[in-house]
Each structure stands twice: as C-alpha cells, then as structure tokens.
Amino acid sequence: MRPYQAEKPATSSEERNISFHKLTPSKDVDISIYEEAFGYVFSNNDVRNVALSGPYGAGKSSVLEGCKKKVTNKKFLHVSLADFKPHNANELDSVEKTPESVLEAKILNQLIHQISPDAIPQTGFSVKKRFRKHQPLIDTTWLILIVLLTLYQFLFAEWKNLTNALEYQWLSTFLHGTTLNTTRLLLLILEVALLACGIYYAVKKQRTTGLLKKINLQGNEFEIGKENDESFFDKYLNEVLYLFENVDADVIVFEDLDRHESSAIFTRLREINTLVNQHRPSKPLRFFYLIRDDIFATKDRAKFFDFIIPIVPVIDGSNAYDKFLEFFRLGGIEKLFSARFLQGLSLYVDEMRVMKNIINEFQLYYHKLSTPDLDGG
C-alpha cells in the first residue's frame, strides 16, 4: 500500500487551501483543568516558587499564555535561556555544561533590558537612556551662562569702561544697567544658584552611578567613594537583588533554564526570591519555572518548589494520529495519506511543534512541486 497518493496540486492561489500553523505558544488553549491550580497559587502569598513541569513540547508555554489571559491583574516578565545542543553525537559529547556565572550574566542582561532605566538609577551596570528632547540644549545653555557670568564678575571694571566708551549713545544707555554694582550682585547670586544646581546634579550622579572612581593630581591618587572589594559573585548577587526589587512585575518566568544542566542556579534563584520577598510581604514576587519532569529527584523537587503544576502533554502516541488528521483536513490534503502510514508516523511524533512543522513543510513542498511523484512509484 502506498503511503500517500500523488495528485497534481492546484496551480492558482484561489484553488489552494494551504493552512499554515505557527510554532509559537498558543494563547487560545483551554486551561480549565489548570485554572484552579493557578488560582490557588495566587491566593497564597507564601507560594512563591512554582514549577510548570512536563516533557519538552508538552505545552507548558501555551498553558502559561492561557493563564496570563485569565489572570489579568498580574504582570509577567519572561527570562528565556534557550540553549540548543548540536545534532552530531561527537559534538554533543564535547559540549560542556554552562557555567553558573554565564547563566547569571544572561539573567541579569535580560532583566536590565526589561526594566526602565529611571527605576534603577543605582545599578552598577551601564544602562543607555533615551535623551530628553531638550536636555542637550538645557545643559549647553547652563554651561554658557556659567562661563559668561564668571567672566562678567572677573572683568567687571573692563566691561564698565568699555560700555561707557561706546560711540553709539543709545547702545551705551541700553547697557548702562549692567555696569551698576546692584546688577553685579544680583548676577553673582544667580551664578551661585546655577553652580549649586550643577554641583547637586554631579553629586547625585556620583552617588548613583559612581561617575568618578579616582582622581590623579600631581602624582597623588585620591579615591572617590568606597572602593568595592567584593568578589564578582557577591557583587553580582547584590545587583540581581537590586534589579528584582525594582522590577515592575508580579511573576518572573524562567524558560529553558533546565537545558543548561545546572542545579546550582536554581538554588541561587530561590535564595534571591527569599531575600527579595522579605521587603514585599503583602505583594510577593513569584518565580515560575518551566522545566522538564526529571530536572530534580522526586524528594528534591517537592522540597525546592512551593507548588508544582504538572502539564499533561498535548499530544502523544495515543492521539497524534487524530491530530494529524485534524490538521490535514484544514489544508484539504487528508486524502493524500493512507491511514496505515499516518498511524505509523504518529508513533514517532510526540511534540506539537514538530507536528505543525511537518505539516507546514509538507504543504510547501507539495504545492511547490509541479509533478509531485511523492511515493516514488
């Protein structure tokens, strides 16, 4: 029996019935069986580390997207740490586990780009901010005024003589007010006020970002502020705590963290969660981990997480055949395949993304080839 029957594909777009399927998480999934579990999580403030567990392709991201549609009063922030291994077996053996410091750096990098720079002015990391529209003009004007007022104070006598010696009487009369001692005093007060504003701004920048670290004057080096003698890991931990405390979110979602085979990073994140929530008991910051089932031993899983939501796979060997038929009917190509062939193929497809990709590629090849002798017969 042939696996599928060759038919000449339609040649015009009007005759074609191509139905593509995106590989991104679906937002329209039915989460009725999980809705009560999510409700329980958000109704208990001491449930802060939550696992959505299941094999790859089970639909964890889709269930989470469905949860976000239901829980509209919570803000979610995603940290994706996708890591894909090479297919070649020799290359796979040579791949080392991702160092914990690298994972920490990736988390920090994604966090800092999802938080407004104005909310984290004291971060030790450089955060590029969009200039205010008129800020360069204001700064330039301020600097020019300081320079002109300083020259005016030091060259007041020369300015007075120059004004009185002008050939045009109307111009001399117009500038006469600037030669009065009263005017000089008022402008001196203005200059002091402008300098005070400038010093305040510089001190604020120094305290928040450490703009200046050291000053070298005639061979003598002076330190500005306290020298940071913390180790890299301690400094990194402080930065993460600072970022998490200022993040505008109720839930931080960590995706694909388990692909890096590092259990230490989970321990570190739990410590961070505990420290951060000490300052926000009434509005806890929850961590959601999208992980596979076997990332921890059974006892360690129950001890590490405050709540575990197992995600039942969307497809497996028992229903993959029906899903194939459902998708192929949408494209109007279900008659091309024999039932026996699809049943055999279904035994090897246990991920929704893989199935959708197979269907997309088949339709493209089928409609692209002008004489598709697909069965080779």
Side-chain angles (χ1 to χ4, degrees), residues 139-324:
D139 294 341
T140 304
T141 304
W142 175 86
L143 184 59
I144 292 175
L145 280 176
I146 290 293
V147 172
L148 291 178
L149 289 173
T150 302
L151 291 175
Y152 173 79
Q153 294 297 331
F154 281 97
L155 302 175
F156 180 74
E158 289 78 359
W159 171 256
K160 187 174 183 179
N161 295 331
L162 177 63
T163 303
N164 294 329
L166 289 175
E167 297 178 356
Y168 299 99
Q169 186 62 34
W170 64 269
L171 183 58
S172 177
T173 303
F174 178 76
L175 296 176
H176 177 70
T178 61
T179 62
L180 302 177
N181 290 330
T182 302
T183 305
R184 183 181 185 186
L185 177 61
L186 292 175
L187 292 178
L188 177 62
I189 295 174
L190 176 62
E191 181 179 9
V192 171
L194 291 174
L195 284 173
C197 292
I199 293 173
Y200 170 79
Y201 178 77
V203 171
K204 182 180 178 181
K205 292 289 290 183
Q206 174 63 30
R207 289 179 63 87
T208 56
T209 62
L211 189 62
L212 297 178
K213 301 298 183 182
K214 295 180 181 180
I215 294 179
N216 195 306
L217 183 62
Q218 295 182 352
N220 299 315
E221 190 175 79
F222 301 92
E223 295 183 0
I224 306 297
K226 181 180 178 181
E227 181 71 19
N228 192 342
D229 57 356
E230 295 178 326
S231 66
F232 170 78
F233 191 82
D234 290 337
K235 179 182 178 181
Y236 180 78
L237 178 59
N238 291 335
E239 288 290 341
V240 172
L241 288 175
Y242 176 70
L243 293 176
F244 272 108
E245 288 172 357
N246 291 277
V247 66
D248 182 23
D250 302 289
V251 179
I252 309 295
V253 181
F254 295 95
E255 302 181 66
D256 297 317
L257 194 58
D258 53 340
R259 292 180 181 270
H260 298 270
E261 304 294 341
S262 174
S263 59
I265 190 63
F266 286 92
T267 304
R268 179 59 65 195
L269 286 172
R270 183 178 174 86
E271 293 174 356
I272 293 170
N273 183 273
T274 300
L275 293 173
V276 170
N277 279 299
Q278 289 179 354
H279 302 284
R280 44 189 299 174
S282 60
K283 188 182 178 182
L285 178 65
R286 293 180 172 88
F287 288 177
F288 277 21
Y289 306 87
L290 275 58
I291 60 172
R292 67 177 189 269
D293 289 317
D294 59 347
I295 186 63
F296 291 128
T298 304
K299 292 183 179 180
D300 291 337
R301 276 182 40 184
K303 186 176 180 179
F304 179 87
F305 297 108
D306 302 325
F307 196 78
I308 300 174
I309 303 177
I311 305 300
V312 180
V314 179
I315 63 170
D316 54 26
S318 64
N319 66 348
Y321 172 72
D322 295 329
K323 288 291 183 181
F324 263 125

Side-chain angles (χ1 to χ4, degrees), residues 117-118 127-133 135:
D118 294 330
V127 183
K128 291 186 177 181
K129 303 168 68 174
R130 179 180 295 179
F131 278 112
R132 296 177 182 175
K133 188 175 181 180
Q135 191 62 42

Side-chain angles (χ1 to χ4, degrees), residues 24 27 29 76 78 91 176 183 206 210 217 250 269 274 284 304 333 335 346 360 366-367:
T24 57
K27 297 182 179 181
V29 297
F76 291 74
H78 288 255
E91 294 181 7
H176 177 70
T183 305
Q206 174 63 30
L217 183 62
D250 302 289
L269 286 172
T274 300
F304 179 87
I333 53 177
K335 295 181 180 180
S346 301
N360 289 342
Y366 175 71
H367 289 285

Side-chain angles (χ1 to χ4, degrees), residues 307-364:
F307 196 78
I308 300 174
I309 303 177
I311 305 300
V312 180
V314 179
I315 63 170
D316 54 26
S318 64
N319 66 348
Y321 172 72
D322 295 329
K323 288 291 183 181
F324 263 125
L325 287 180
E326 177 184 338
F327 285 127
F328 279 135
R329 287 192 184 104
L330 293 175
I333 53 177
E334 74 279 5
K335 295 181 180 180
L336 298 178
F337 299 89
S338 67
R340 183 177 178 181
F341 172 76
L342 283 182
Q343 289 171 353
L345 178 63
S346 301
L347 297 176
Y348 300 95
V349 180
D350 57 358
E351 291 189 27
M352 182 62 76
R353 287 193 187 95
V354 174
M355 175 176 289
K356 290 180 177 180
N357 188 60
I358 290 174
I359 295 168
N360 289 342
E361 292 190 7
F362 174 80
Q363 291 183 102
L364 283 172

